Amino acid sequence: MNKQNYIQDIIEKTLAKCLTWVQKIDDGLDLFIDPNDGEEISAHYGATHAAASFIIWGKETDNEELYNKGMSLLHSILKRWDTSKQLPAFHYDFNNFALCLVVDYVDDKTKALIQKTVCDTSDSNHYTINWLPMRWMVNKTRFEWTSNSKYHDIINRCKKTITK
């Protein structure tokens, strides 16, 4: 097996396992359940990153079922976003980053909702070095959407901090 096939096999196995952690609740929303704790991962970034993975890999491999599961999870996340971001462990930079990654893989209505959500959501107030590249990318994306110079200022602050 060559490296590309080996990596693709690992991705497929990982996604298949992660799909088992998506559960539909009574109101029809999909939740991403932590297999160890048995609770939804809403404040953290597991759900947004799983949805992004399902959407991107589903689209890139023409796996409509995986793509649709990602979209269902994404819509569930967006529906509950304002509540989730009030939780103390909400990872702003990680969650915004995942939304920015999928914006070009979704329909126009979802794209508009993602853009509004990301622009209405704060950045993290942590300056952890591995978070800053995500914040940089999110603010670059916000700048591309809005041309608002405040996002360019944030990009420059991230760049200076990373360089230091």
Side-chain angles (χ1 to χ4, degrees):
M1 179 182 292
N2 67 33
K3 283 184 184 181
Q4 184 175 355
N5 288 344
Y6 179 72
I7 292 169
Q8 185 168 343
D9 184 55
I10 291 170
I11 292 169
E12 293 287 345
K13 287 176 180 173
T14 303
L15 290 174
K17 185 64 176 173
C18 290
L19 280 169
T20 67
W21 303 334
V22 178
Q23 297 178 14
K24 197 166 288 295
I25 58 172
D26 293 338
D27 61 2
L29 294 176
D30 279 333
L31 301 180
F32 193 66
I33 305 296
D34 183 307
N36 295 318
D37 297 336
E39 295 183 14
E40 188 207 4
I41 306 168
S42 54
H44 206 261
Y45 52 90
T48 56
H49 282 64
S53 298
F54 299 159
I55 291 166
I56 293 168
W57 192 255
K59 186 64 109 176
E60 292 294 322
T61 61
D62 293 321
N63 183 333
E64 191 174 338
E65 184 178 343
L66 183 63
Y67 177 83
N68 289 338
K69 180 56 79 171
M71 289 298 294
S72 179
L73 183 57
L74 175 65
H75 285 289
S76 173
I77 292 163
L78 290 170
K79 184 173 184 176
R80 296 172 295 111
W81 188 268
D82 288 336
T83 302
S84 295
K85 74 180 184 182
Q86 301 303 316
L87 298 170
F90 190 80
H91 283 58
Y92 291 89
D93 294 328
F94 289 74
N95 287 313
N96 286 330
F97 177 73
L99 294 183
C100 288
L101 289 178
V102 300
V103 75
D104 291 331
Y105 290 87
V106 299
D107 59 79
D108 289 342
K109 183 178 178 184
T110 305
K111 183 175 189 168
L113 181 56
I114 288 172
Q115 289 173 329
K116 180 179 180 351
T117 300
V118 171
C119 287
D120 290 349
T121 302
S122 303
D123 292 326
S124 205
N125 60 4
H126 301 286
Y127 285 86
T128 310
I129 197 67
N130 64 313
W131 294 21
L132 293 176
M134 288 182 282
R135 189 174 309 155
W136 179 343
M137 182 270 198
V138 167
N139 282 284
K140 180 181 178 294
T141 304
R142 287 173 175 146
F143 180 76
E144 290 167 356
W145 292 338
T146 67
S147 299
N148 188 324
S149 64
K150 74 178 180 180
Y151 299 125
H152 198 263
D153 295 340
I154 296 168
I155 293 166
N156 287 332
R157 278 197 305 277
C158 289
K159 183 178 180 179
K160 284 179 185 176
T161 304
I162 293 167
T163 301
K164 280 202 261 182

